[in-house]
Amino acid sequence: MSSTMEAVVIPKFGGPEVLEIRQVPKPVPANGEVLIRVKAFGLNHAESHMRKGEWDEWNPISGIECAGIVEACPGGEFAVGSTVVGVMGGMGRSRPGGYGEFVSVPATNVVSIKTGLAWQQLAAIPEVYATAFSCLFTILDLQRGESLLIRGATSTVGQAALHLAVDAGAKITATTRRQARFDLLREMGAAEVIKERGGLATELPKDRVFDKVLNLVGNRVLLESIDITRVGGRMLQAGWLGGLAPVEDFNPMLQMKPGVHFSLFHSKVLGTADFPMTHIPLQEIAMKIEQGAWDAKPAFIFDVKDIRKAHELLDSGDAGGKIVVVRE
């Protein structure tokens, strides 16, 4: 068996043109790790920031998630040949990620999935649905009948959150910066759709507040997202679609509305003791998607040889859904 593999590599920081396909050493899994033969992987905005040199951690072989087949598992946690997804666990950050032909992932960050979904469909699920589920139910503690505002709802995590929240019986208001996507959000189950912009409170009836708010836009709308959350409610920030710039001259004592529970979430904690993958029903989610309850097909599918084109689309913000790269 060859000791090398093909991988998409970031040799230097820059635009999509810096990405190269190279032969690199094949990873050797340690006890407690799973070697996955990658069949497909989803793209994530974090990987664009890593490629540009804007992220706190990065690995020359990027990719924070993948779908594939177990090639080896020294600890016996997963059967060789089984279908699995891998997410986070240092992938693309502190260890080589899913852009490789093979990837070694901590067993705590691997989930076995029994499914008839095609690889490109399965690869669209792990990071966004694990993140959305953790946001809604682990942190926001979303309950049936509650009002939920999702800011940035046509993002990949936003769409996953909308599916999950509708299924849970919440009443959802969704925002998007593009009016052409209003109908999509309504078809997905949003009770109300509003154009995303700063000063959103002015678009709402006076004193309108929400039980829970999921802010995927980021720091640019952090304070106003807290303002439109009811006292005793929860606001969670879990995205940076509006950019990475911090809140200017931030003074919590003067600027934050009292009585609102404010939290942050980053998917890098998935698979840790506090956020175990065993608490996320990915098998049930995959089954719902396979049965047609939710449309979670990737918006665009690329062959790995076209990785630069895939990253160009990722950078444009025009995908309107998940971008998946397949290995044939």
Side-chain angles (χ1 to χ4, degrees), residues 4-10 19-27 35-43 47 59-69 71 91-92 95-105 304 307 325-328:
T4 63
M5 68 172 185
E6 180 185 275
V8 175
V9 175
I10 304 171
L19 297 172
E20 296 182 1
I21 296 177
R22 295 182 176 180
Q23 287 293 313
V24 300
K26 180 180 174 181
L35 183 66
I36 301 172
R37 178 186 289 272
V38 177
K39 304 297 286 188
F41 55 89
L43 297 193
E47 294 150 13
N59 189 281
I61 301 175
S62 195
I64 62 175
E65 64 177 327
C66 69
I69 298 170
E71 184 80 2
M91 292 171 62
R95 63 169 65 221
Y99 285 19
E101 186 181 358
F102 295 88
V103 61
S104 185
V105 187
V304 69
I307 188 67
V325 176
V326 296
R327 286 188 171 276
E328 295 299 337

Side-chain angles (χ1 to χ4, degrees), residues 32-34 78 86-91 95 104-111 271:
E33 296 180 347
V34 183
F78 297 90
V87 58
M88 305 309 292
M91 292 171 62
R95 63 169 65 221
S104 185
V105 187
T108 52
N109 291 82
V110 176
V111 178

Side-chain angles (χ1 to χ4, degrees), residues 81-94:
S82 57
T83 295
V84 295
V85 295
V87 58
M88 305 309 292
M91 292 171 62
R93 298 170 66 96
S94 59

Side-chain angles (χ1 to χ4, degrees), residues 168-190:
K171 184 177 180 181
I172 299 102
T173 297
T175 76
T176 176
R177 60 192 172 93
R178 303 190 184 191
Q179 196 147 356
R181 295 178 179 171
F182 277 30
D183 287 345
L184 168 67
L185 294 174
R186 292 191 185 102
E187 290 167 4
M188 292 176 67

Side-chain angles (χ1 to χ4, degrees), residues 198-239:
L200 185 66
T202 62
E203 298 286 314
L204 303 171
K206 188 179 180 182
D207 300 325
R208 171 88 179 274
V209 290
F210 298 89
D211 295 313
K212 309 287 168 64
V213 174
L214 176 58
N215 171 22
L216 301 173
V217 175
N219 292 334
R220 184 165 56 81
V221 299
L222 186 155
L223 292 172
E224 69 174 42
S225 294
I226 293 173
D227 285 341
I228 55 179
T229 305
R230 69 168 173 83
V231 171
R234 302 188 185 193
M235 196 289 280
L236 171 62
Q237 181 161 303

Side-chain angles (χ1 to χ4, degrees), residues 87 126-136 157 238 265-267 270 280:
V87 58
E127 198 274 342
V128 292
Y129 276 91
T131 297
F133 185 90
S134 299
C135 289
L136 294 180
V157 173
F265 183 79
H266 194 301
S267 60
L270 291 170
I280 301 170

